[in-house]
Amino acid sequence: EITCGADLANAVQRIRGLTGRATEGMIPFAHAAAEVEERGICTEEEFCGPVAARLAHFAQYIPWYLQDGLQVLAQGETNEVFLTRRQCAVIMAAALFAAVPDTDRGDCLVEGQAPRQLADFDIGGLLDTDREKTFCLMAYYHSVATAGDAFLDQVVSFGRRSVEPPTHQFWMAFDLPLREAIIDEGAAVDRAGVLQVLTASEADVGSAVLAGCASTEEVMYLQRPECLVGRFVAQQLLSAEAVFITGAAQYASCTGSGSCLVFEGPCKERPVERPDSLNRV
């Protein structure tokens, strides 16, 4: 029975070692697990006990929860993938234990499928270096491990849109003035019910969030870890492509960015909205 952060970190390390992806010791993870109660997530005993057990269950049964494998949002194609929050949680739990296929090696989930050629999806480095970012993920893990079926059955969609790169003549043909802009103060990452546009030039979904960066884009991915699943289903974006993520919930609140990022607590109050026809909120 695991009841403390140090024991949980050691257990996770042993499991990660089975796939050759043990990290440097997960000391920030161990310290964060010991402080989850102080940061408003849950007690240390709850996180290291039933929460960790639920995450281990998700990771162990990833083939059952994803019986049809995962469709790849390939470069140059317009397509969409729909996953329940439960399936997103399964993928994120598997990432914790390094139980997802190693995208660097081109592994795939289903025998006979082509190599995935996707972004790095190993969160071990993040859990090994930054306590504040680790708290963000812990808030997410606790929420999905204790959520009911109605919430976990909700859907998150990942839609890739690909167009031919517009030419200079295309942009020069516009002769209408821009509409007036409305400028409001506040952090965009904390807004609900709005379209958030994050830009990156030919980058992986989530950019360098798993490499320790925490700009505006990376902060949003830390607050809404379901967005990170986009790294596991979408190949690197080309210059005339975009990924639309709909339905990702906010699980953590933060202030600051980069090395000044501070986890302020779990986001327990979510806007009450009616799901759409695809059960996305």
Side-chain angles (χ1 to χ4, degrees), residues 55-111:
L55 297 176
H57 166 85
F58 281 156
Q60 180 180 2
Y61 290 100
I62 186 172
W64 188 88
Y65 286 106
L66 300 171
Q67 295 182 34
D68 298 325
L70 282 175
Q71 182 178 0
V72 175
L73 297 175
Q75 290 179 341
E77 298 180 4
T78 293
N79 211 335
E80 200 159 15
V81 170
F82 298 89
L83 297 172
T84 64
R85 295 197 195 282
R86 183 181 293 100
Q87 290 174 314
C88 290
V90 165
I91 295 171
M92 288 299 297
L96 171 64
F97 294 104
V100 294
D102 188 348
T103 53
D104 289 340
R105 296 204 311 260
D107 291 352
C108 60
L109 280 177
V110 178
E111 184 177 357

Side-chain angles (χ1 to χ4, degrees), residues 65-73 78-91 109 116 152-161 226 229-230 232-234 243-248 276-281:
Y65 286 106
L66 300 171
Q67 295 182 34
D68 298 325
L70 282 175
Q71 182 178 0
V72 175
L73 297 175
T78 293
N79 211 335
E80 200 159 15
V81 170
F82 298 89
L83 297 172
T84 64
R85 295 197 195 282
R86 183 181 293 100
Q87 290 174 314
C88 290
V90 165
I91 295 171
L109 280 177
R116 302 183 61 81
L152 294 177
D153 288 339
Q154 292 175 359
V155 171
V156 181
S157 65
F158 304 83
R160 190 184 193 112
R161 304 291 184 268
E226 287 160 338
V229 177
F232 199 59
V233 299
V243 169
F244 291 77
I245 303 175
T246 305
D276 64 13
S277 60
L278 298 174
N279 203 27
R280 300 176 299 185
V281 176

Side-chain angles (χ1 to χ4, degrees), residues 2 27 64 75 86 101 107 112 114 124 165 167 176 182 189 193 216 220 246 257 259:
I2 297 175
I27 295 176
W64 188 88
Q75 290 179 341
R86 183 181 293 100
D107 291 352
T167 63
L176 297 177
I182 299 175
V189 292
T216 300
M220 191 199 75
T246 305
S257 61
S259 60

Side-chain angles (χ1 to χ4, degrees), residues 87-262:
Q87 290 174 314
C88 290
V90 165
I91 295 171
M92 288 299 297
L96 171 64
F97 294 104
V100 294
D102 188 348
T103 53
D104 289 340
R105 296 204 311 260
D107 291 352
C108 60
L109 280 177
V110 178
E111 184 177 357
Q113 287 186 351
R116 302 183 61 81
Q117 299 176 346
L118 300 172
D120 170 47
F121 196 64
D122 188 353
I123 66 173
L126 189 151
L127 301 177
D128 211 30
T129 57
D130 197 300
R131 189 185 309 187
E132 297 301 311
K133 299 184 182 76
T134 297
F135 280 126
C136 293
L137 293 182
M138 286 181 167
Y140 165 74
Y141 283 134
H142 174 263
S143 185
V144 295
T146 57
D149 288 339
F151 181 74
L152 294 177
D153 288 339
Q154 292 175 359
V155 171
V156 181
S157 65
F158 304 83
R160 190 184 193 112
R161 304 291 184 268
S162 179
V163 299
E164 289 294 324
T167 63
H168 176 71
Q169 289 77 12
F170 171 84
W171 295 114
M172 293 301 295
F174 284 93
D175 57 1
L176 297 177
L178 296 176
R179 299 183 64 180
E180 293 185 0
I182 299 175
I183 301 176
D184 194 5
E185 295 184 359
V189 292
D190 291 329
R191 301 300 175 92
V194 298
L195 174 65
Q196 300 189 30
V197 181
L198 305 174
T199 60
S201 177
E202 298 190 8
D204 297 319
V205 174
S207 191
V209 61
L210 299 187
C213 295
S215 63
T216 300
E217 178 178 8
E218 284 86 11
V219 170
M220 191 199 75
Y221 279 77
L222 291 169
Q223 293 183 332
R224 303 170 185 263
E226 287 160 338
C227 292
L228 286 172
V229 177
R231 297 176 67 87
F232 199 59
V233 299
Q235 292 181 346
Q236 185 183 59
L237 298 177
L238 300 179
S239 59
E241 292 185 328
V243 169
F244 291 77
I245 303 175
T246 305
Q250 182 175 343
Y251 296 87
S253 296
C254 304
T255 57
S257 61
S259 60
C260 298
L261 180 75
V262 176

